[in-house]
Amino acid sequence: MAAMSEAALRELLRLTARTTFVFFVCAFAGPALHDLWPGTLSRWLARRRDSFLLAAAASHTVHLAAIIALFQLMGWAHLQMATLLGGGFVYLLIYALAVTAASRLLRGREIRLLSSPRFEGIALYMIWLIFALAFVPRIVSGWPVYSLFGVAALVALALRIACRVRHGKAMAARA
């Protein structure tokens, strides 16, 4: 990636952010969608939650490589500490969810700490928040792609909330 121009790296960053979001929103909202409106598509989404989490982690790893390449090109002095710490924390959450998903897919067993419903729920909502902060404010900007992703983020949250309200504490324990 070092041979890429700044413009090409920025385009790659936009593409991988969007790709990661699509995989993430499928994992985030798929089970709730299936619970609220059972059907072929919603069942397919819900059953592949762990695969979507792994795909999101893989896509965001490419995003990370593009970030590193961009700062190598521009200079590391442009990197702000808040961005490093906040982004690093989100990457840890994404990778923790990916490890848990992989352990369920490969061995059928979960890692106790990482697979707790409370941890997974918090991690999913924190990652959702980061995407929402990136896309939702842009709904009014007139960019159709960002409007689509912003609305998708809000719909995904609405689905999870509706599911939680519908099932109360039982659903909260499964998040």
Side-chain angles (χ1 to χ4, degrees):
M1 271 191 231
M4 295 179 76
S5 69
E6 182 178 341
L9 286 168
R10 289 186 184 279
E11 186 59 35
L12 180 59
L13 287 168
R14 283 188 289 276
L15 176 66
T16 54
R18 293 170 187 168
T19 303
T20 301
F21 175 73
V22 169
F23 291 135
F24 174 78
V25 84
C26 288
F28 183 75
L33 180 65
H34 178 61
D35 194 64
L36 294 168
W37 293 290
T40 304
L41 176 62
S42 63
R43 181 176 41 256
W44 183 84
L45 287 169
R47 286 185 179 168
R48 285 162 181 77
R49 177 180 181 234
D50 288 335
S51 297
F52 283 122
L53 288 172
L54 288 173
S59 175
H60 227 49
T61 300
V62 175
H63 189 78
L64 179 60
I67 290 170
I68 291 169
L70 181 65
F71 281 109
Q72 285 180 332
L73 183 66
M74 292 176 26
W76 290 98
H78 291 91
L79 180 61
Q80 297 176 359
M81 187 56 70
T83 302
L84 178 65
L85 294 176
F89 179 69
V90 171
Y91 270 97
L92 289 176
L93 293 176
I94 289 170
Y95 290 139
L97 289 175
V99 165
T100 302
S103 71
R104 283 192 295 253
L105 287 171
L106 296 176
R107 291 185 261 146
R109 296 176 27 192
E110 298 176 329
I111 299 168
R112 292 182 78 191
L113 173 64
L114 298 179
S115 66
S116 79
R118 187 172 303 253
F119 171 79
E120 285 190 46
I122 290 169
L124 286 168
Y125 281 105
M126 299 264 317
I127 296 165
W128 174 88
L129 179 62
I130 297 304
F131 279 117
L133 289 172
F135 294 132
V136 171
R138 295 178 178 178
I139 290 174
V140 296
S141 70
W143 288 75
V145 171
Y146 288 115
S147 296
L148 176 68
F149 288 134
V151 169
L154 294 174
V155 168
L157 179 63
L159 286 169
R160 286 190 58 110
I161 290 171
C163 188
R164 186 170 219 171
V165 167
R166 181 175 175 197
H167 294 286
K169 291 182 181 180
M171 190 59 195
R174 293 189 317 206

